[in-house]
C-alpha cells in the first residue's frame, strides 16, 4: 500500500522560501511519476510540478517555473519541492501524489500540507 506523507509547510513572507518534503513508502517507485499539486480556498486543485523517478525528467506549471524546483532522492524515497520567491498567490494546501508511468491519473495522494504566504 502506497503511503505519501508531506511535511515542510508553514507561514512565510512574500519573497521567502520553503521546502516541502514527501516521504513515499509501500512500493518500489522506480517506475513512478511523483507530483506536487495545490489547492487554494475556493479554487480547483492544480498541477504544480512532477518528476519521473526513472531518468529524473521534471515538469512545471508555468506559474512556478523559475521559482520552484522538484527533486527526488531515490535512496530515501523522498521528493522535495524547493519553493523560492514565494508570492501571496502561492498560498494553498500542497499535496504530494504518485502514479505509475503508464497511468494517466495520479491515484495515490498524501494528506496535504498548508503553505501560507503573507503579503
Amino acid at each position: 500500500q502506497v503511503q505519501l506523507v508531506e511535511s515542510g509547510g508553514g507561514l512565510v513572507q512574500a519573497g521567502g522560501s520553503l521546502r516541502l518534503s514527501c516521504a513515499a513508502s509501500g512500493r518500489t517507485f522506480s517506475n513512478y511519476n511523483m507530483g506536487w499539486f495545490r489547492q487554494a480556498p475556493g479554487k480547483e486543485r492544480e498541477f504544480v510540478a512532477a518528476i519521473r523517478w526513472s531518468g529524473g525528467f521534471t515538469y512545471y506549471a508555468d506559474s512556478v517555473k523559475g521559482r520552484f524546483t522538484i527533486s527526488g532522492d531515490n535512496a530515501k524515497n523522498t521528493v522535495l519541492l524547493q519553493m523560492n520567491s514565494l508570492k501571496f498567490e502561492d498560498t494553498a494546501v500542497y499535496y504530494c501524489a504518485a502514479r505509475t508511468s503508464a497511468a494517466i491519473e495520479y491515484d495515490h495522494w498524501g494528506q496535504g500540507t498548508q503553505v501560507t504566504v503573507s503579503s
Side-chain angles (χ1 to χ4, degrees):
Q1 180 176 340
V2 174
Q3 285 192 317
L4 305 173
V5 180
E6 303 98 333
S7 61
L11 174 65
V12 65
Q13 287 188 332
S17 299
L18 279 176
R19 188 175 73 170
L20 304 184
S21 178
C22 173
S25 62
R27 198 68 58 87
T28 299
F29 292 95
S30 58
N31 66 333
Y32 271 70
N33 284 21
M34 306 295 294
W36 285 97
F37 292 74
R38 66 187 182 187
Q39 187 167 20
K43 295 187 177 181
E44 293 187 354
R45 185 168 58 196
E46 64 175 0
F47 169 78
V48 175
I51 185 168
R52 187 186 304 175
W53 278 121
S54 176
F57 299 102
T58 57
Y59 312 88
Y60 296 95
D62 287 343
S63 59
V64 306
K65 278 182 183 177
R67 299 188 298 121
F68 291 11
T69 302
I70 188 170
S71 61
D73 185 333
N74 288 358
K76 296 181 179 180
N77 274 356
T78 299
V79 179
L80 302 175
L81 185 67
Q82 178 67 41
M83 306 185 295
N84 298 328
S85 302
L86 283 161
K87 304 176 182 180
F88 175 76
E89 50 265 39
D90 294 319
T91 296
V93 177
Y94 283 71
Y95 297 92
C96 178
R99 64 173 177 86
T100 63
S101 297
I104 297 175
E105 301 288 341
Y106 284 85
D107 52 2
H108 302 286
W109 295 85
Q111 82 287 353
T113 185
Q114 176 71 46
V115 171
T116 303
V117 184
S118 62
S119 58

